[in-house]
Amino acid sequence: MNTTLGLLPDEAAARFLTTGVLENSEALPFVAIDQMSAPAPWEAELVRQLFDEAMKRFTPAERTSADAWLAPVLHATLRLTRREASDSRIWNYLAVRLAPDYVYWRHLSRGNPPRVSRTRFSGPFHSQAFARLWWAAELFRDGSDYGPVVVACGNQDVLNTVLRLEVILHRPTAQAIIRLLADDVVRTGRQVNTLAQAVNTAGTTLSYEAYAPDNPRDVDAYRDWVEELGAVLVPYDSLPTGPSDGRARQTSVDALTALFKQLLADIPSAREMPEWS
């Protein structure tokens, strides 16, 4: 294995994702992949160890549960700026070269033949196997606290639906949604999807940034956190510590939590859900 990660362009990744590879019946050509990849500065071994640890901690039947464990430790281990994390090449490399076995383990369908969706190897951030976990950790953490990330990644509908919403770039909005899950106001996938639709629809007419302003993020603290990785041991048995770049403004989270509860109460179909409390 290479000692550092690489950057694999989308076009190159697409070339390697044949039908046989997606069905796990054909080996990926690692030598050719290395030739198509540009070098990247991040150490490969620490990241690779995370995927081995996840497959050791969780059985295949528990594979969805691995998301809530892996997202915070991946974010705390692979310390990227948002600009770096927006580069799909690093995620292509992780999935196609560094850990395709994890992608098969986590995302192989039960179809005939079993198959992994192409977007799990190379796709948008909310679908790609590793990008979606890193971005979930980045967008749902509350400053250094990864607790909300565990709640978010413990519900597959949050990853599949809420993570796609542009409104969660507003931190109080993201935290208000997670608070409704943490407080069991919403529990089922159906309720999560209804909430996501209501929040997104309301956001087309209401500026959440104006209604519930946020504190500015401390970009220097984030940069310091990125640069200190070499001196930090990321724990596996407890939540790591995220960047101390400031929490979402709590009065705004409170205001949006109340607003979102009211939005749900105003939706007749939500009130009729049998699981609704």
Side-chain angles (χ1 to χ4, degrees):
M1 186 178 71
N2 296 330
T3 57
T4 61
L5 300 179
L7 302 173
L8 181 64
D10 291 343
E11 300 78 9
R15 183 183 308 173
F16 297 123
L17 296 176
T18 63
T19 298
V21 166
L22 296 177
E23 293 177 357
N24 198 18
S25 61
E26 176 184 320
L28 280 157
F30 287 157
V31 173
I33 293 169
D34 287 342
Q35 291 173 344
M36 299 292 290
S37 301
W42 303 280
E43 287 189 25
E45 182 61 28
L46 289 175
V47 180
R48 175 65 236 192
Q49 288 173 1
L50 299 181
F51 307 136
D52 290 335
E53 181 68 20
M55 290 187 283
K56 185 170 68 176
R57 284 176 177 248
F58 300 91
T59 68
E62 301 169 324
R63 56 185 182 169
T64 58
S65 300
D67 292 345
W69 178 83
L70 183 55
V73 293
L74 176 62
H75 187 269
T77 300
L78 185 55
R79 300 191 177 188
L80 306 172
T81 65
R82 287 192 176 190
R83 179 187 295 274
E84 291 166 339
S86 298
D87 185 344
S88 60
R89 295 179 301 167
I90 188 171
W91 307 117
N92 294 338
Y93 186 88
L94 260 62
V96 177
R97 177 62 176 92
L98 184 75
D101 56 329
Y102 185 87
V103 181
Y104 292 126
W105 178 84
R106 172 62 183 85
H107 293 290
L108 194 66
S109 75
R110 295 187 175 90
N112 186 19
R115 182 184 175 94
V116 172
S117 169
R118 184 180 299 271
T119 60
R120 298 302 188 186
F121 284 101
S122 179
F125 81 94
H126 50 74
S127 295
Q128 204 273 351
F130 302 121
R132 71 182 194 129
L133 298 179
W134 192 96
W135 278 104
E138 172 63 12
L139 296 175
F140 289 115
R141 68 182 172 83
D142 192 11
S144 62
D145 181 10
Y146 283 119
V149 178
V150 175
V151 176
C153 295
N155 187 304
Q156 291 298 303
D157 288 279
V158 173
L159 290 174
N160 294 334
T161 303
V162 179
L163 189 59
R164 297 168 181 257
L165 303 180
E166 189 173 339
V167 292
I168 65 165
L169 292 171
H170 181 235
R171 295 190 305 171
T173 296
Q175 292 305 311
I177 291 173
I178 297 306
R179 183 181 290 181
L180 292 178
L181 270 85
D183 292 345
D184 273 346
V185 176
V186 294
R187 295 190 299 271
T188 68
R190 204 172 153 203
Q191 291 170 344
V192 170
N193 292 331
T194 299
L195 172 65
Q197 183 177 4
V199 169
N200 199 46
T201 300
T204 62
T205 56
L206 173 66
S207 171
Y208 291 137
E209 290 84 355
Y211 180 81
D214 194 10
N215 298 320
R217 295 176 66 221
D218 186 339
V219 294
D220 291 334
Y222 190 93
R223 187 184 308 114
D224 291 344
W225 179 81
V226 168
E227 293 176 351
E228 73 179 0
L229 176 60
V232 174
L233 180 63
V234 176
Y236 285 178
D237 294 322
S238 61
L239 278 181
T241 301
S244 300
D245 56 352
R247 298 171 65 98
R249 186 178 296 186
Q250 292 306 299
T251 53
S252 293
V253 177
D254 293 342
L256 287 173
T257 301
L259 173 65
F260 296 163
K261 280 184 180 178
Q262 187 58 51
L263 289 176
L264 287 168
D266 292 341
I267 300 174
S269 61
R271 293 198 299 270
E272 292 165 2
M273 291 178 186
E275 304 91 347
W276 195 258
S277 59

